C-alpha cells in the first residue's frame, strides 16, 4: 500500500509542522520573563476528565467525542504498524470500538462546524479549513472501510458504521487505493498546517494548561516597574505566559458569553482583546502596533474585573490581566485615567480613602459604639473596616452589625481606627499601580506594628487584596503570621463553634448574590449558604446565574467611579432578581449592596425585593 | 524694580491683584529691598480715586496707560503696550496672576522680549543673587516641580496661581505716586472686534458655574423639568442632575453631578427632588450654600442643606419663580 514517496511525504509534513511550531513558539517566547512551573498531573487530569471543557454541556461533549474519537484510533493505527496477532473476538471488538469512536468524532466535528458557522455565518479565522479537513479524514476513512468490506467481507457487528458506507460503495480495489491515498494526504496536510490554524490549540492549549496559574484567581500580576515597564503599550510588554494565553485561544466565545460588559452592550469583548493580541504577535519584532490602536479606552474602562471570562475559559486563558496591563499603560504611561475617576484617585493619594473624608472622620461610624482600638495588647481579630465600612452611609450599618456580632461572640477584637488606609483595590484595578503600592506598603507597615491572629474584612475587595496581593509585594514586609478571613468565613466559625446563636427568625424567601471577589476570586461560596441556612425562617433559593457563573453587579474594577452608558449591568442583574421572585437578596459586599439597590430601585417595581448584607441579617437574627 | 500687572473690572481691583502686590513686596525684600513696586494698569476712563486703592496695598508707584483700546482684553495690543513699558527702567521681575487672559498674554510678552516665563507659580525662592526658583504643580497637582530662571538681561515673567495669593491688610497711610499716560497703538492690528457674546449660564460647564440648579427623579419626567429650567434662568444658574435624570436622557452626561459624574463646588446649589444618595452628594458636598427642596422630610439631602424646604417641587417652584421675576422687575 505504501509507496516509496510516503516516508518522504510524511517527513516533509512533519518538518513543515515543526518549522511552523518553532515560528509560533518564538512569537510568544519573546514576551517578558515570568516564573511559571508546569504541572503534568494537572494537564493529564484536565484532558482525562474534560471537566473544564464540559462546563458548557454540548460543546463540551462534542469536544470529548472528537478528542477521544481522534486520539484512540490514532493510537491504534500507530500500534498496528507493529505486527502482532490478536484473537479474532478481541480484534472484532476493537474494530467495533474504533468504529463507534469514529462515528462519535464525526458527530463532534459536525457539531462544531454547525455552531461555528451558525453564529453569524463568519467563523473566526483559521477555524473552517482544519474542521473541514478533519471531517474529510473521518469520512474518507469510513468510505475506505466500506469499500474494503465489499471486497473482503467481515461480520457486520465488527464494523456497523463501515457497513452503512459499504451499502452505497462499489467493490473496486482501485477506488479503495485512491481513497486511502486521499485519506493519507489529508492527514499529512492537517499535520503540516497544524501550527497555522486554530488547531494549534492542541499544542499551545496543552502548554497553557500545563503552565496554568496556581495562585488565587483574584491576585493581579505585579507590574515590572523596576524593569521600566509601565503596563502594556505593545504586545512585547506582556509576559511570555500572557502571549501563550493568546496563542492558545480557540475563539470559542465562552468568555464573551459570560462577560457582563459584553452582555450589557458595552464595546468590550474579552475574546476580541485576546484575538487582538494574537494578531499583533504576528507582526515582526520592534514594529508592533500600539495595543491602544486596536483596543479602545472605552473597551478597557468597561471591564468590571469580574473574572467571569477567566472562570469560563476552557483553556485557562486570562483576558483580565491583559485588560489591567493595558489600563496600567493608560494611567501610568499616558497619564490618562478616566476623568470621572480622577477625584477618587486624588482622594486616595491625599487622604487615603476613596471619599476624601480624611483620617479624622474614619472612625465616625464607631461613635458611642465602644469599639476597641488596636494598641500594644495582642488581640485575636483585627477588624478591617475598609472605606465603605467607614464612610458609606448604608454600609456603616453593616460595620456596626459586625461589631455587635463580635461582641456577642465575645471575640477579642480591635480596629486600626484612623490609621487604616484604603486597601488600594480601586487604584490597582484602575491601573494606578504606583498609588496601590504606596497604600499597600503603609498598611503593611501598620500591620507589622501590632499583634493579632486574624484579619477579618467586611468587603471582599479588601479581603482579596489583603489576602492575595499584599504577600506578593516585592519588599515583602508582611510577616505572614496571620490569616485573612472574610467576615462570612469568620461568622460561620462563630456559628459552628456555637459562640453565637441565631434565634430570631427572618421570614423571607432569599437568594445569595455571589460577590465576584468572594466567589470567583477566592472560591468562598459555601459559607454564605451555610450562614443563610442557619438563619431561622429564611428559605434559600438559587439564582439562575450563581456560583462560578454568578453575574457581576457592575461595581468592581473601579467601575463604582466610572460613568456607565447604555444598559446598566446592575439593571440586568436586578431584572434577573425580580424575575426570580425572591423577597430578599443577600450579598456580602458593599459594592454589590449599592449596585443592586440602585438597579432594583431603577426598575420601579411594585414590590421591590430587599437587598441586605448577610452580616446585617445575622445581626438581626442574633439571639 | 518689580512690576505687577493690576487686574481690574471697570476700575475695581480684585483681591488677586492685592495679593500680587504683597507678593511683589516680599520678593523685593528677598532681593535686597532696593527699587520700587510698580503697578501697571491698562484701561480706559479710570478715575484717580480707583487708582489710589493700590497705594495702601503696597504699590510704590502706579502707572496707568489709558486707551480706548483697553476696554476689553486684546492680546496683541496689551502685549505691545506692556512690552514698551517693560523695556524701560530695566525691571527684574514682572508679576501677574493666572487667568484666561494672562495665559494668553504672558507667553506673548515672554516671546516678544525673549525672556523666561514661569507660569502657575505657587511659591518663590531666591537661592542666590541673579537667580529665581519657582515651584508649580504639575500632573494635575500630583507633584510639584522646581523651575529656575536667570535674572540677567531683563525681567523674569512670573504668573501666579490666584489661589495662593493673599493680600496684606491695607495701610491707609501709604500712598503711591500715580502717573497717567495715554497710549496709541503703533502697529495696525489685524484683529477687529465685531461683537461680544456673553457666556450663557445654560451652556456653561457645570464645574465652572457659580450657581447650580440640580434636579432629581422627584422632578418627574422630561416635562416636569420645565420649572427647573425656568428657575435656572431667573437665577442665572446652570442646570445639573442626578444619574437617573441623565439615564432618562433628560439631561446630557456632562450635566451629571456625583461620584460618576462631575464634582461641583458652586457658591449656591439648589437641589430639587433629590434624595441625596451618597453617590450624588459625593459630587456636591463642597458647595458653599446648599438649598434642598424635597417632599420627604427624612430625605438624606437635608443632612447637607443650609436651607431645607419640605415641599412639593411642582407647588413651590412656580411660586419661587414668580417671586424672583417680581424682584427682577
Ligand atoms: C456606582 C454608582 C454610581 C452612581 N453615581 C451617581 C452619580 O454620579 N450621580 C448621581 O446623582 N447618582 C449616582 N448614582 C445613583 C445614586 O445612588 C442615586 O440612585 C441617585 O442619585 C438618586 O437620584 P434621585 O435623587 O434623583 O432619585 P431618587 O433617589 O428616586 O429620589 C427622588 C427624591 O425626590 C423626592 N420627590 C419625589 N417627588 C417629589 C416632589 N413632587 N417634590 C419634591 N420632592 C419629590 C423623593 O422624596 C426622593 O427623595 C450612582 C449609583 C451607583 C450605584
Ligand atoms: S479566551 Fe478562552 S473563552 Fe475566550 S474565546 Fe479564547 S478560548 Fe474561548
Ligand atoms: S473580567 Fe468580567 S468584565 Fe472584564 S472582560 Fe472579563 S468577563 Fe468581561
Amino acid at each position: 500500500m505504501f509507496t516509496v514517496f510516503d516516508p518522504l511525504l510524511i517527513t516533509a509534513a512533519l518538518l513543515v509542522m515543526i518549522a511552523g511550531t518553532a515560528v509560533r513558539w518564538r512569537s510568544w517566547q519573546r514576551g517578558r520573563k515570568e516564573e511559571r512551573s508546569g504541572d503534568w498531573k494537572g494537564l493529564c487530569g484536565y484532558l482525562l476528565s474534560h471537566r473544564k471543557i464540559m462546563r458548557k454541556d454540548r460543546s463540551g461533549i462534542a469536544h470529548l467525542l472528537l478528542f477521544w474519537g481522534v486520539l484512540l484510533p490514532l493510537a491504534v493505527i500507530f500500534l498496528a504498524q507493529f505486527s502482532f496477532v490478536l484473537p479474532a473476538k478481541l480484534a472484532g471488538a476493537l474494530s467495533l470500538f474504533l468504529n463507534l469512536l469514529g462515528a462519535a468524532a464525526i458527530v463532534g466535528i459536525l457539531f462544531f462546524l454547525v455552531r461555528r458557522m451558525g453564529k453569524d455565518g463568519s467563523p473566526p479565522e483559521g477555524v473552517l479549513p482544519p474542521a473541514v479537513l478533519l471531517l474529510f479524514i473521518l469520512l474518507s476513512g469510513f468510505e475506505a472501510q466500506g469499500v474494503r468490506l465489499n471486497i473482503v467481507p467481515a461480520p457486520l457487528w465488527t464494523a456497523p458504521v463501515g457497513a452503512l458506507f459499504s451499502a452505497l460503495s462499489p467493490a473496486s480495489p482501485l477506488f479503495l487505493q485512491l481513497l486511502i491515498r486521499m485519506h493519507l494526504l489529508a492527514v499529512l496536510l492537517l499535520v503540516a498546517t497544524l501550527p497555522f490554524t486554530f488547531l494549534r490549540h492542541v499544542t499551545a492549549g496543552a502548554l497553557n494548561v500545563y503552565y496554568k496559574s496556581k495562585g488565587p484567581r483574584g491576585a493581579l500580576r505585579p507590574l515590572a516597574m523596576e524593569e521600566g515597564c509601565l503596563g502594556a503599550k505593545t504586545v512585547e510588554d506582556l509576559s511570555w505566559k500572557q502571549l501563550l494565553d493568546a496563542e492558545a485561544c480557540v475563539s470559542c466565545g465562552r468568555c464573551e458569553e459570560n462577560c457582563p460588559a459584553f452582555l450589557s452592550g458595552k464595546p468590550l469583548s474579552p475574546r476580541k482583546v485576546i484575538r487582538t493580541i494574537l494578531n499583533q504577535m504576528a507582526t515582526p519584532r520592534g514594529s508592533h502596533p500600539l495595543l491602544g490602536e486596536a483596543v479602545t479606552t472605552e473597551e478597557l474602562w468597561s471591564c468590571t474585573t469580574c473574572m467571569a471570562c477567566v472562570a469560563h475559559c476552557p483553556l485557562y486563558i486570562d483576558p483580565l490581566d491583559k485588560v489591567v496591563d493595558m489600563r496600567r499603560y493608560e494611567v501610568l504611561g499616558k497619564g490618562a485615567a478616566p476623568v470621572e475617576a480622577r477625584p477618587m484617585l486624588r482622594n486616595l493619594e491625599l487622604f487615603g480613602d476613596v471619599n476624601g473624608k480624611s483620617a479624622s472622620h474614619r472612625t465616625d461610624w464607631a461613635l458611642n459604639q465602644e469599639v476597641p482600638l488596636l494598641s500594644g495588647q495582642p488581640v485575636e481579630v483585627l477588624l478591617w473596616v475598609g472605606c465603605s465600612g467607614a464612610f458609606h452611609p448604608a454600609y456603616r450599618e453593616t460595620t456596626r452589625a459586625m461589631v455587635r456580632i463580635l461582641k456577642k461572640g465575645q471575640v477579642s477584637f480591635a480596629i486600626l481606627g484612623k490609621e487604616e488606609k484604603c486597601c488600594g483595590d480601586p487604584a490597582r484595578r484602575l491601573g494606578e499601580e504606583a498609588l496601590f503600592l504606596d497604600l499597600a506598603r503603609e498598611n503593611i507597615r501598620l500591620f507589622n506594628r501590632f499583634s493579632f491572629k486574624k484579619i477579618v474584612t467586611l468587603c471582599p475587595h479588601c479581603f482579596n487584596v489583603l489576602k492575595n496581593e499584599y504577600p506578593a509585594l516585592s519588599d515583602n514586609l508582611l510577616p505572614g503570621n496571620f490569616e485573612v478571613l472574610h467576615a462570612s468565613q469568620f461568622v460561620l466559625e462563630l456559628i459552628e463553634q456555637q459562640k453565637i446563636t441565631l434565634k430570631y427568625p427572618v421570614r423571607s424567601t432569599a437568594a445569595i448574590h455571589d460577590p465576584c471577589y468572594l466567589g470567583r476570586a477566592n472560591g468562598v461560596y459555601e459559607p454564605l449558604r451555610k450562614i443563610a441556612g442557619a438563619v431561622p425562617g429564611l428559605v434559600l433559593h438559587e439564582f439562575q446565574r450563581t456560583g462560578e457563573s454568578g453575574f457581576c453587579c457592575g461595581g468592581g474594577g473601579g467601575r463604582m467611579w466610572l460613568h456607565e452608558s447604555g444598559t446598566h449591568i446592575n439593571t440586568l442583574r436586578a431584572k434577573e432578581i425580580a424575575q426570580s421572585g425572591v423577597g430578599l437578596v443577600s450579598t456580602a459586599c458593599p459594592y454589590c449592596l449599592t449596585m443592586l439597590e440602585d438597579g432594583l430601585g431603577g426598575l420601579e417595581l411594585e414590590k421591590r425585593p430587599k437587598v441586605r448584607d448577610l452580616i446585617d441579617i445575622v445581626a438581626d437574627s442574633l439571639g | 524694580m518689580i512690576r505687577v500687572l493690576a487686574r481690574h473690572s471697570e476700575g475695581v481691583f480684585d483681591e488677586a491683584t492685592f495679593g500680587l502686590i504683597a507678593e511683589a513686596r516680599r520678593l523685593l525684600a528677598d532681593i535686597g529691598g532696593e527699587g520700587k513696586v510698580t503697578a501697571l494698569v491698562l484701561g480706559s476712563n479710570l478715575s484717580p480715586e480707583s487708582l489710589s486703592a493700590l497705594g495702601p496695598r503696597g504699590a510704590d508707584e502706579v502707572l496707568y496707560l489709558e486707551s480706548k483700546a483697553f476696554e476689553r482684553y486684546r492680546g496683541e495690543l496689551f502685549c505691545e503696550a506692556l512690552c514698551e513699558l517693560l523695556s524701560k527702567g530695566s525691571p527684574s521681575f514682572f508679576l501677574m496672576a493666572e487667568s484666561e487672559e494672562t495665559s494668553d498674554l504672558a507667553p506673548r510678552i515672554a516671546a516678544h522680549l525673549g525672556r523666561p516665563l514661569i507660569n502657575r507659580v505657587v511659591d518663590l525662592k531666591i537661592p542666590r543673587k541673579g537667580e529665581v526658583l519657582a515651584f508649580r504643580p504639575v500632573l494635575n497637582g500630583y507633584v510639584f516641580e522646581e523651575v529656575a530662571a536667570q535674572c540677567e538681561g531683563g525681567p523674569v515673567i512670573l504668573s501666579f496661581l490666584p489661589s495662593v495669593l493673599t493680600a496684606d491688610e491695607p495701610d491707609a497711610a501709604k500712598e503711591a505716586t500715580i502717573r497717567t499716560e495715554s497710549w496709541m497703538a503703533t502697529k495696525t492690528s489685524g484683529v477687529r472686534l465685531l461683537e461680544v457674546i456673553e457666556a450663557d449660564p445654560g451652556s456653561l460647564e457645570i464645574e465652572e458655574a457659580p450657581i447650580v440648579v440640580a434636579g432629581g427623579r422627584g422632578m418627574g419626567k422630561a416635562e416636569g423639568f420645565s420649572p427647573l429650567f425656568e428657575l435656572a434662568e431667573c437665577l442665572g444658574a446652570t442646570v445639573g442632575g442626578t444619574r437617573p435624570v441623565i439615564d432618562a436622557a433628560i439631561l446630557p452626561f456632562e450635566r451629571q453631578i456625583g461620584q460618576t459624574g462631575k464634582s461641583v463646588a458652586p457658591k449656591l446649589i439648589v437641589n430639587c427632588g433629590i434624595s441625596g444618595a451618597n453617590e450624588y452628594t459625593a459630587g456636591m458636598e463642597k458647595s458653599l450654600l446648599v438649598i434642598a427642596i424635597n417632599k420627604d422630610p427624612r430625605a438624606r439631602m437635608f443632612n447637607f442643606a443650609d436651607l431645607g424646604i419640605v415641599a412639593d417641587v411642582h407647588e413651590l417652584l412656580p411660586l419661587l419663580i414668580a417671586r424672583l421675576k417680581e424682584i427682577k422687575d
Side-chain angles (χ1 to χ4, degrees):
Chain A
M1 253 196 293
F2 273 103
T3 68
V4 282
F5 291 116
D6 288 346
L8 276 179
L9 272 178
I10 293 170
T11 317
L14 285 175
L15 280 178
V16 172
M17 185 193 80
I18 291 167
T21 307
V23 169
R24 304 289 325 182
W25 182 281
R26 249 176 290 146
S27 77
W28 58 263
Q29 273 291 345
R30 73 170 77 147
R32 283 177 177 280
K33 64 174 191 300
E34 181 184 345
E35 290 295 321
R36 283 277 167 145
S37 57
D39 177 8
W40 279 114
K41 262 207 248 149
L43 177 60
C44 295
Y46 169 89
L47 289 175
L48 288 174
S49 81
H50 252 63
R51 206 179 312 131
K52 182 93 182 161
I53 305 171
M54 299 237 280
R55 279 284 300 275
K56 199 168 158 186
D57 308 344
R58 281 191 296 175
S59 18
I61 292 173
H63 193 274
L64 185 78
L65 296 179
L66 194 57
F67 177 76
W68 289 116
V70 171
L71 193 71
L72 287 182
L74 217 60
V76 171
I77 290 169
F78 180 73
L79 288 178
Q81 305 310 311
F82 307 96
S83 44
F84 52 86
V85 183
L86 286 180
K89 277 264 168 55
L90 194 58
L94 189 62
S95 161
L96 171 67
F97 181 56
L98 290 185
N99 232 251
L100 294 178
L101 271 178
I106 291 183
V107 173
I109 192 76
L110 280 176
F111 175 88
F112 282 125
L113 262 176
V114 170
R115 198 180 73 102
R116 286 289 165 111
M117 287 299 291
K119 255 194 182 158
D120 47 8
S122 60
E125 221 178 77
V127 164
L128 217 46
V132 172
L133 208 55
L134 207 56
L135 184 64
F136 177 79
I137 291 169
L138 289 163
L139 289 176
S140 59
F142 274 120
E143 177 61 12
Q145 191 177 42
V147 177
R148 176 153 3 105
L149 283 175
N150 285 343
I151 303 168
V152 194
L156 180 66
W157 70 270
T158 59
V161 188
L164 272 178
F165 279 78
S166 75
L168 292 169
S169 309
S172 152
L174 190 67
F175 185 48
L176 180 61
Q177 281 307 315
L178 192 70
L179 276 173
I180 290 174
R181 297 234 54 85
M182 280 173 27
H183 184 75
L184 178 69
L185 279 178
V187 171
L188 292 180
L189 192 60
L190 192 75
V191 169
T193 55
L194 197 82
F196 309 105
T197 69
F198 98 112
L199 267 192
R200 68 172 161 266
H201 78 271
V202 170
T203 46
L207 262 180
N208 208 44
V209 176
Y210 176 69
Y211 282 122
K212 74 168 192 277
S213 141
K214 283 173 227 39
R217 197 186 273 151
L220 281 180
R221 170 186 268 100
L223 180 62
M225 276 202 271
E226 60 290 353
E227 290 169 33
C229 179
L230 294 177
K233 182 181 183 187
T234 70
V235 286
E236 256 165 47
D237 295 312
L238 297 170
S239 80
W240 64 265
K241 174 61 180 62
Q242 287 179 299
L243 297 184
L244 179 59
D245 263 5
E247 181 77 4
C249 173
V250 290
S251 209
C252 68
R254 291 191 197 183
C255 48
E256 194 174 271
E257 287 160 15
N258 288 285
C259 170
F262 184 81
L263 291 175
S264 62
K266 307 293 180 308
L268 172 69
S269 149
R271 176 170 69 142
K272 194 195 135 202
V273 170
I274 296 291
R275 303 309 289 181
T276 302
I277 293 170
L278 182 68
N279 287 339
Q280 296 202 351
M281 275 158 65
T283 50
R285 201 188 181 106
S287 68
H288 293 301
L290 300 179
L291 277 165
E293 282 171 13
V295 182
T296 63
T297 49
E298 287 82 61
E299 290 171 61
L300 293 182
W301 300 123
S302 296
C303 175
T304 69
T305 71
C306 71
M307 292 159 283
C309 52
V310 190
H312 282 89
C313 176
L315 286 150
Y316 289 101
I317 294 165
D318 187 339
L320 170 61
D321 70 12
K322 326 295 182 280
V323 168
V324 170
D325 274 338
M326 285 184 241
R327 282 183 171 191
R328 285 168 172 170
Y329 181 68
E330 279 301 309
V331 175
L332 302 174
K334 297 196 343 209
V339 191
E340 315 96 270
R342 284 183 199 170
M344 182 273 284
L345 292 172
R346 203 190 174 86
N347 285 338
L348 282 184
E349 172 147 342
L350 296 177
F351 304 106
D353 70 80
V354 293
N355 302 70
K357 301 261 163 104
S358 87
S360 50
H361 291 287
R362 205 168 180 106
T363 49
D364 286 2
W365 66 271
L367 217 66
N368 302 328
Q369 304 278 315
E370 290 170 25
V371 185
L373 212 60
L374 206 56
S375 59
Q377 232 58 306
V379 291
E380 187 195 349
V381 167
L382 161 59
L383 177 63
W384 176 269
V385 180
C387 296
S388 303
F391 297 112
H392 195 280
Y395 215 64
R396 284 170 154 201
E397 295 299 331
T398 310
T399 317
R400 290 187 202 119
M402 187 66 193
V403 167
R404 276 212 304 286
I405 296 172
L406 291 173
K407 285 188 176 170
K408 194 84 183 178
Q410 298 188 323
V411 178
S412 107
F413 78 101
I415 57 170
L416 285 169
K418 295 184 164 70
E419 292 195 78
E420 185 187 289
K421 290 250 157 70
C422 170
C423 67
D425 164 88
R428 182 166 227 203
R429 286 182 167 62
L430 281 170
E432 227 313 4
E433 187 74 359
L435 182 52
F436 162 73
L437 289 176
D438 284 349
L439 290 166
R441 291 195 178 122
E442 281 192 50
N443 283 324
I444 292 171
R445 237 170 266 144
L446 205 53
F447 293 156
N448 283 340
R449 276 188 14 221
F450 298 108
S451 164
F452 48 86
K453 293 208 187 82
K454 293 172 180 154
I455 298 183
V456 172
T457 80
L458 285 159
C459 169
H461 297 261
C462 302
F463 169 59
N464 180 62
V465 168
L466 263 55
K467 177 168 186 280
N468 300 326
E469 298 189 339
Y470 279 15
L473 293 186
S474 50
D475 45 0
N476 215 349
L477 289 152
L478 204 61
N481 54 1
F482 53 80
E483 216 186 336
V484 183
L485 294 174
H486 181 253
S488 60
Q489 296 173 306
F490 188 70
V491 167
L492 182 62
E493 276 179 22
L494 292 182
I495 295 175
E496 284 177 343
Q497 294 163 1
Q498 294 177 339
K499 289 198 174 141
I500 56 171
T501 41
L502 304 187
K503 191 166 99 192
Y504 297 106
V506 178
R507 284 188 212 293
S508 185
T509 50
I512 306 278
H513 167 90
D514 285 300
C516 303
Y517 277 81
L518 258 197
R520 269 189 295 271
N522 288 292
V524 179
Y525 298 110
E526 276 315 300
L528 303 186
R529 286 158 179 82
K530 281 191 182 154
I531 294 175
V535 177
L538 215 57
V539 183
L540 202 61
H541 295 261
E542 285 288 351
F543 291 128
Q544 205 166 21
R545 289 184 284 192
T546 186
E548 282 277 280
S549 300
F551 196 66
C552 174
C553 72
R559 294 264 353 141
M560 286 298 286
W561 290 271
L562 298 180
H563 172 59
E564 187 172 1
S565 53
T567 309
H568 290 193
I569 293 173
N570 61 349
T571 308
L572 290 184
R573 186 56 162 172
K575 283 187 180 153
E576 188 179 342
I577 292 170
Q579 267 164 15
S580 76
V582 294
L584 174 66
V585 190
S586 171
T587 181
C589 168
Y591 296 168
C592 295
L593 200 72
T594 313
M595 277 296 190
L596 298 182
E597 188 64 61
D598 183 75
L600 284 165
L603 294 186
E604 296 182 359
L605 302 167
E606 244 170 58
K607 212 166 148 262
R608 185 205 292 195
K610 275 203 190 120
V611 187
R612 304 198 64 197
D613 197 283
L614 198 53
I615 296 302
D616 288 312
I617 299 177
V618 168
D620 279 0
S621 171
L622 216 52
Chain B
M1 174 138 37
I2 298 175
R3 304 224 149 136
V4 168
L5 180 64
R7 187 168 71 181
H8 64 92
S9 157
E10 290 169 12
V12 182
F13 294 96
D14 61 8
E15 281 295 307
T17 298
F18 299 147
L20 208 57
I21 295 174
E23 193 63 47
R25 289 241 71 95
R26 273 193 289 278
L27 181 58
L28 194 67
D30 281 353
I31 57 173
E34 276 169 44
K36 287 182 194 160
V37 173
T38 309
L40 306 181
V41 185
L42 272 56
S44 88
N45 281 333
L46 300 191
S47 65
E49 296 84 67
S50 59
L51 295 173
S52 64
L54 295 169
R57 298 297 186 152
D60 300 312
E61 195 177 46
V62 175
L63 183 52
Y64 169 43
L65 274 198
E66 163 133 63
S67 167
K68 253 329 232 175
F70 296 150
E71 261 176 1
R72 277 191 173 274
Y73 174 70
R74 303 270 301 276
E76 41 189 343
L77 302 182
F78 272 52
C79 172
E80 190 189 330
L82 287 167
C83 286
E84 268 177 46
L85 288 182
L86 291 172
S87 45
K88 281 183 245 160
S90 64
S92 39
F93 293 98
F94 180 44
L95 272 45
M96 55 182 101
E98 198 79 22
S99 71
E100 268 116 71
E101 284 142 22
T102 54
S103 46
D104 174 77
L105 181 63
R108 281 178 191 270
I109 296 176
H112 261 268
L113 300 177
R115 294 299 306 156
L117 158 67
I118 308 175
N119 64 356
R120 304 178 42 252
V121 174
V122 295
D123 202 4
L124 279 186
K125 238 202 217 143
I126 303 293
R128 63 186 77 84
K129 202 170 153 35
E131 190 179 305
V132 59
L133 201 60
F135 298 85
R136 62 175 182 182
V138 287
L139 292 176
N140 230 337
Y142 274 88
V143 290
F144 288 86
E145 69 176 355
E146 295 178 7
V147 189
Q150 304 301 325
C151 305
E152 294 292 292
V156 173
I157 302 153
L158 299 167
S159 177
F160 284 78
L161 282 182
S163 50
V164 302
L165 295 170
T166 39
D168 288 342
E169 281 300 311
D171 179 355
K174 280 196 184 156
E175 235 177 88
T177 44
I178 299 177
R179 278 200 346 244
T180 305
E181 286 172 21
S182 66
W183 187 82
M184 285 281 285
T186 50
K187 298 181 203 122
T188 48
S189 163
V191 179
R192 261 186 318 137
L193 188 69
L194 296 181
E195 192 190 351
V196 177
I197 306 165
E198 291 294 345
D200 162 21
S203 59
L204 211 63
E205 286 270 353
I206 190 155
E207 291 145 300
E208 291 173 12
I211 306 177
V212 172
V213 169
R217 196 140 50 181
M219 291 303 302
K221 300 269 177 286
E223 326 73 76
F225 273 72
S226 45
L228 196 79
F229 289 111
E230 218 177 319
L231 176 67
E233 207 182 307
C234 291
L235 292 172
T238 305
V239 174
T242 62
R243 191 169 81 164
V245 172
I246 274 70
D247 288 342
I250 299 168
L251 291 172
F253 172 55
E254 295 81 60
R255 304 263 151 217
Q256 179 179 324
I257 299 171
Q259 182 168 306
T260 54
K262 300 267 163 77
S263 286
V264 300
K267 294 208 174 88
L268 167 66
I269 182 165
V270 187
N271 302 280
C272 308
I274 294 177
S275 60
N278 185 54
E279 291 74 26
Y280 171 74
T281 54
M284 50 67 66
E285 270 172 281
K286 298 197 177 105
S287 306
L288 242 48
L289 193 64
V290 180
I291 298 179
I293 309 170
N294 195 311
K295 67 176 183 190
D296 174 7
R298 285 176 314 168
R300 184 172 181 266
M301 196 64 241
F302 289 130
N303 299 354
F304 296 80
D306 298 293
L307 171 65
I309 308 168
V310 180
D312 185 323
V313 277
H314 291 290
E315 284 169 16
L316 186 78
L317 290 194
L319 297 176
L320 189 61
I321 292 163
R323 184 82 181 95
L324 281 168
K325 281 192 175 150
E326 234 176 76
I327 298 171
K328 263 199 180 159
D329 292 342

